[in-house]
Amino acid sequence: QAEATPQLRLTSRVLSAPLAPAGILAAVAESPPDLLFVGTHGNGPVGRAVFGSVAHEVVRRVTCSMVVVPLPS
């Protein structure tokens, strides 16, 4: 007997918020995903200290599974 293939649903959203981490966390709270993908520029420790890191802030506060994907330079 053949196994059933699980049904997958992919949803993407482009957010516009004054503070990106707060916007992402609000969207996750509104519609919790099974898995969240977030891109990062990889600015390093100095860039993170000056500009902050959206991915780092979201990783610390999100309650779902998350994958951080480095964006190409």
Side-chain angles (χ1 to χ4, degrees):
Q1 184 174 0
E3 289 186 35
T5 303
Q7 190 96 18
L8 298 177
R9 185 180 65 141
L10 176 64
T11 303
S12 65
R13 293 178 69 178
V14 176
L15 303 173
S16 176
L19 298 172
I24 294 168
L25 293 167
V28 166
E30 176 186 310
S31 181
D34 294 323
L35 182 61
L36 174 67
F37 286 84
V38 175
T40 182
H41 294 284
N43 292 325
V46 173
R48 192 169 31 255
V50 174
F51 302 110
S53 169
V54 171
H56 184 256
E57 184 66 23
V58 173
V59 164
R60 289 184 36 205
R61 298 175 54 197
V62 78
T63 58
C64 65
S65 297
M66 181 173 165
V67 175
V68 178
V69 180
L71 300 174
S73 307

